[in-house]
Every structure is written in structure tokens, then in C-alpha cells.
Amino acid sequence: AIENTADAIWMHDLDKNVTYVNPSFSRLYGYAPAEIIGQHAGIVDSGRHAPEFFNQTFAEVAAGEIWTGTIVNRCKDGALIEVEAAISPAVDGQGKLIGWVQSDRDVTREHQLESEVQRAARERQTIEVALGRIDPSASPEEIAAIACTAILELGGTDSAWVTELGPDRGLVLGSAGQAASALAPDEELPPERVRYLMERASVGPWVEALKVDPSLDNAFGERLAMTGLHTAAYAPIKGAGGVIGVLGFGVHDTAAIEQLNEHVPALATFAWILGALLASGLETRRRSQVARESIQTILDTAAFTPFFQPIVDLNDGTVVGYEALSRFADGTRPDVAFGLAERAGLELELELATLAAALEASSVLPAGAYLSLNASPSLIASGPLREILAPLKRSIVLEVTEHSVVQDYEELRAAGKGLGQHVRFAVDDAGAGYASFRHILELEPAVVKLDIGLIRGIDVDRARQALLAGMSYFAVKRKIKLVAEGIETTAELAALGQLGIRYGQGYLLGRPQDGRGPGPWPTHIRWSDPGAGKG
């Protein structure tokens, strides 16, 4: 039975010299019977246990007890194994102790699996706790900082960092630990290093020893090496379009490399989750950066031209004013350009630049016509606008689009009064925007411009005719001038006249013209004039 059991059975005398081993012992430890019998039992000692451990163990057995427990032993090839051991006293016929019988069962793999399960549970818990601390609406830097702290809490690593990667640059979003001094937030990575990380991250996680390559890192790599970082692990952070960054952690102590490798699967999982949390914020910021560069180029090169379109008294054809419009050199629609400027934080700069260009070019317009300028609530409340408009003699109408959100109407009304008596308000795009009729009620405008969506096909739409009839009545009571936008047919023109809408603009009455051109800049429009809608 002993010869055929799966457990390693071996015996040694009172001097700890081996007297017997079964075949399972030879298979487990690698020693043939001839190699081990007669040798001291310490031949399999791993050195992991202090002498006191074995002294206590054999003292218990000598007292007649059976000792059981885990021992780490060393095989013939040097490999360490964990065994569940049972050591029993061997006695002669008179009950005298003559040695020990030991059975060993290899539990290395079981303990390894148990350890892996426990580590995975700890890693999962750490990640869950970290995710609980992350606000999805937080900035990429805030999310990265929490992620780095969580990585250090996993244990077995002393540095962690999150890096944003893009086609043209790489940026450290957050870092923690010993290498943080060389990986400060907003630190830009060398372009060559960015390309290297993008290439490696496209394949998957990897581990590498730190090597300073002057062609990749320059001073950045030298600073990182000076922290003593030895080995680093990386996992790609991905968005919908592919790699958007890397999550990394590293160790300075070579003895911790094995443990670092064990954390790579958790690192990859965490990086995958971070991708979902970071992608939106990074993409928004990238779009803002592209928008900023585009708008800044437009501002630096003045790549826009003021155009003017007449606003006409529909009763007699008198041109009462001109609306200033902007056309961009690259063909970008004005609403798109100003939307990009808002995203880039350059909305006021672009508004001021185009407004100043329109004012400069407006000298070609008839002296009696007012100038209508589009202006956001933020621009109206700004100091520069007051300085620009104060010296003007021409009557100015500021069109506040209904697409703009007004936070404080009282403040906006006060700002408008501070611009001078020659400046009046108009509500633009009435019927199409954010505040519906609230702008009209709160701003007390002199002019309300009816959106083209209300005017198009007004001659055949009874519902809109009824709406405009009501607005016309309201305008008379409030002393507001209604201006119909987008008039393109004589049928629309006739319908508006029947509804009491006195003013209008549109291709039928005159197309926008380049403010740098010679005109013509008429003071009257004749509907029968074939050139009325040209320009």
C-alpha cells in the first residue's frame, strides 16, 4: 500500500538520516532511492523555515503526537513546493522511539490557485471601490488621479500613471507614487515616445524594463530614469476610435517584478473601464482643441468678410436698415464657425472681430439706414462692446438670437441701456429658439425678427397666418417692429402685407452683398426691379 500510494512516504532515524522513500517520493522530489537513502533529511530543506520550526515539530512528534501542517521543501532541481505533511513517531516493539514516518502531499498548485483567487478578489474590490469614488462627469485629470491611487492600493507596485495619447501628442493626465516627480500632470511626452506607446498599445498589455532611449525620450526619459523606476507594465485605454491612452504602473525594486506581472490582468480590466470613463471627456477636449486652433487661425488671419443684406419697409420699398452677416474664407457656415468658437472658448473674440469688421465696412451704407448686428448676451454685457459702439453716430440694432440662453434678463436690459440711446435690441429668429416668446417679453425689444421657418410658405399655411396675425396685434400694442426673414416669393410678400407685417428681408428684396464691394447700396427697393433680388 505504501509503495503504491500517491503521497510521498519517507522515513528517517533519530539522527534525521533518510532510511526509506517510496516511488511517489522520487516522483515528487526527483531523488532516486539510491540518491536519498542515507542522506540527511535536510537535503530537501528550502530554507524558508527557521530551525526552531523543525525543533518544535519533532519535539511534538517525540512526545507521541502526530504533527500536521504545511512545509515548503526544495526538490532536486531546486524548485520549491508546498506540501501538506503528516509526521508520525516510529517505535519498536517495546514502544521506544526509533525514528519518524513522514507523508507529503503536494499542494503547490492548490495554494497557488487559492492565492490567485484571493488576489483577484482583492483586485476586484479595489477597482470597485475606486470606481465608486469616480464621478463620470469629472475631468479626465480627476478620474486619472483616482485611478492611480487605486493602482497603488493593489500592492506590489510603487508608481502609477495615466497618459492620454493622440495622433499628434501625448499628455500625462495623472500620476502617483515614486515616479510621480517625472510624470507630473500636463507633462507632454516626446513625439517619438507617443508613437512608440501608440504602436505597442494597439497590440495589448505589455511589461518592459525601463530603458532610456535618447531617440525616444530626451530629457523626459532621463528624469524618469532618475527616479529609479526599473520595470513598468502598460495596458491600453481605448475609446470608440481606438487607443486614446495608456494606464501604467511600475516598480523600483527588482524583487517586486513577479508581483507586478501578476497584476497585469487586473490592470487591463481597469484600463478597459477607464476607457469608458475617459473617452467622452478626452474626445470633447480634443474637439475643443481642434476648434480653438481653427478659430485662432481665422482670428489671426482675419479670414472673414462682412456682408450686408437690406431690411425693407414693405409698404413703400424704403431700405430702413442693413443686417451685417459674416462669410468665412474657407466656406464654413457662420453658425458652424460660431459654434466652434463657443466650444473653443473664443466666442467673444470671434464676435468682436467680425463685429468690428462690419462696423468698419458699414461706411459704404446709406447714412439713414440702421445697422443690425448679431450679438450674444455675453458680448452685450462685455466692456469692449461699449467702447466700440459709444462713438458711433449710426443707429444700431443688436439682434439677440433666441438660441442664446439668457441667465439674467434684468442684467442684460441694464447692459443694453448702458450702450447708449442709439443702440436698440432686436430678438432674432423668433419662433425657432431656446426661449420662445420669453425673450420678447423680458427684453422689451424695439424689433422682433420672425424666423424664416414661420415665413416660408406663409401664403398657403393658415395656421401660421393666424399665429402671425396674433403677433402683429401684439407688436402694435407693444410698439414693436416685426421683420419677416427669408422672403423669397411675391406670394409670401403679399400674404405678409395682408397680415400687417411691415418690414422684411430676404432674397426677393436683396441678397447679402460683400461689404468691401462698391454696391449698389440702394435706399429703395422696387419689387418689379429684376435686380432687386440680385447682388
Side-chain angles (χ1 to χ4, degrees):
I2 291 177
E3 287 288 313
N4 289 281
T5 185
D7 292 342
I9 306 294
W10 53 308
M11 304 177 186
H12 38 88
D13 59 22
L14 295 179
D15 294 326
K16 308 285 191 338
N17 294 317
V18 179
T19 59
Y20 167 82
V21 296
N22 73 346
S24 291
F25 179 94
S26 296
R27 286 192 295 269
L28 179 60
Y29 287 100
Y31 290 101
E35 294 176 304
I36 189 70
I37 294 175
Q39 297 291 333
H40 191 274
I43 193 172
V44 298
D45 187 1
S46 65
R48 292 292 185 88
H49 305 283
E52 292 77 10
F53 172 80
F54 291 108
N55 292 338
Q56 178 64 31
T57 296
F58 287 105
E60 293 180 14
V61 177
E65 300 179 9
I66 298 176
W67 183 91
T68 58
T70 302
I71 301 177
V72 179
N73 283 334
R74 187 181 303 276
C75 298
K76 181 181 177 180
D77 62 4
L80 299 181
I81 60 171
E82 286 187 81
V83 297
E84 289 291 345
I87 305 176
S88 306
V91 297
D92 61 13
Q94 287 73 40
K96 180 181 179 182
L97 182 67
I98 60 173
W100 290 269
V101 178
Q102 181 169 337
S103 66
D104 294 340
R105 175 172 295 174
D106 184 8
V107 293
T108 306
R109 181 57 179 162
E110 287 86 344
H111 285 190
Q112 181 181 358
L113 291 174
E114 181 181 350
S115 177
E116 290 176 356
V117 169
Q118 292 173 347
R119 184 184 69 251
R122 291 195 301 271
E123 291 171 344
R124 184 170 58 253
Q125 182 180 18
T126 300
I127 292 174
E128 289 174 354
V129 171
L131 292 175
R133 297 200 302 261
I134 294 177
D135 180 358
S137 64
S139 69
E141 287 76 11
E142 292 171 324
I143 294 174
I146 295 174
C148 290
T149 301
I151 291 294
L152 294 186
E153 291 173 355
L154 290 176
T157 181
D158 53 45
S159 299
W161 57 91
V162 176
T163 304
E164 174 189 2
L165 297 178
D168 54 354
R169 70 166 191 164
L171 192 71
V172 177
L173 295 176
S175 61
Q178 295 186 35
S181 58
L183 294 164
D186 293 333
E187 174 84 22
E188 288 204 22
L189 305 184
E192 293 78 7
R193 170 58 63 176
V194 174
R195 285 191 285 272
Y196 170 76
L197 291 174
M198 286 286 286
E199 181 180 345
R200 291 297 304 267
S202 65
V203 179
W206 77 98
V207 179
E208 64 181 18
L210 178 64
K211 294 180 180 179
V212 178
D213 186 342
S215 66
L216 292 179
D217 299 309
N218 301 326
F220 170 79
E222 294 178 3
R223 289 198 306 273
L224 192 58
M226 288 178 64
T227 68
L229 185 68
H230 184 274
T231 301
Y234 298 88
I237 300 173
K238 295 185 177 181
V243 175
I244 59 174
V246 292
L247 171 61
F249 64 76
V251 294
H252 291 63
D253 185 359
T254 57
I257 294 176
E258 181 179 353
Q259 196 170 1
L260 179 141
N261 279 286
E262 293 174 348
H263 286 314
V264 170
L267 176 72
T269 300
F270 199 14
W272 180 81
I273 298 172
L274 279 181
L277 293 170
L278 289 171
S280 177
L282 292 179
E283 183 60 29
T284 298
R285 189 156 65 186
R286 286 180 185 176
R287 289 198 300 266
S288 296
Q289 180 65 25
V290 171
R292 171 171 284 274
E293 292 172 357
S294 174
I295 298 302
Q296 193 61 57
T297 298
I298 290 175
L299 291 171
D300 293 342
T301 60
F304 48 81
T305 302
F307 275 57
F308 298 107
Q309 184 177 29
I311 301 171
V312 181
D313 186 328
L314 303 182
N315 288 342
D316 57 13
T318 301
V319 176
V320 296
Y322 280 88
E323 180 181 1
L325 306 167
S326 294
R327 297 292 182 264
F328 292 88
D330 62 359
T332 302
R333 296 203 323 263
D335 59 326
V336 173
F338 282 100
L340 288 174
E342 182 179 8
R343 183 185 300 165
L346 293 173
E347 182 182 19
L348 288 183
E349 287 82 349
L350 185 61
E351 280 194 84
L352 281 171
T354 54
L355 186 144
L359 289 174
E360 182 179 356
S362 66
S363 59
V364 302
L365 301 178
Y370 70 79
L371 180 61
S372 190
L373 301 166
N374 289 279
S376 67
S378 298
L379 180 64
I380 293 171
S382 69
L385 185 60
R386 289 193 291 271
E387 297 174 6
I388 292 173
L389 298 181
L392 297 179
K393 295 181 180 180
R394 185 186 298 273
S395 179
I396 300 294
V397 172
L398 295 180
E399 298 187 19
V400 183
T401 175
E402 277 214 347
H403 298 281
S404 300
V405 179
V406 176
Q407 302 294 344
D408 189 326
Y409 282 99
E410 184 176 350
E411 181 181 350
L412 186 59
R413 288 195 300 270
K417 293 178 181 179
L419 296 175
Q421 293 185 352
H422 66 298
V423 178
R424 297 171 293 162
F425 274 161
V427 170
D428 191 18
D429 302 325
Y434 166 76
S436 186
F437 291 104
R438 189 179 178 194
H439 273 9
I440 300 173
L441 295 173
E442 295 282 0
L443 291 178
E444 302 174 357
V447 177
V448 170
K449 304 190 75 174
L450 303 173
D451 184 73
I452 188 174
L454 295 177
I455 305 305
R456 185 68 51 81
I458 187 66
D459 52 304
V460 296
D461 193 317
R462 292 183 178 274
R464 278 184 288 174
Q465 290 175 10
L467 176 61
L468 290 193
M471 293 186 69
S472 179
Y473 177 80
F474 173 81
V476 170
K477 292 296 183 179
R478 300 290 295 179
K479 298 181 180 180
I480 294 173
K481 294 180 179 179
L482 294 182
V483 178
E485 295 183 298
I487 303 173
E488 296 186 356
T489 69
T490 54
E492 292 171 348
L493 183 66
L496 292 169
Q498 293 174 0
L499 293 170
I501 308 299
R502 181 171 179 178
Y503 302 96
Q505 68 182 102
Y507 284 0
L508 179 68
L509 308 177
R511 292 175 177 268
Q513 297 184 67
D514 189 338
R516 299 170 302 183
W521 305 103
T523 58
H524 287 81
I525 297 292
R526 297 194 305 274
W527 323 138
S528 59
D529 184 352
K534 299 180 180 179

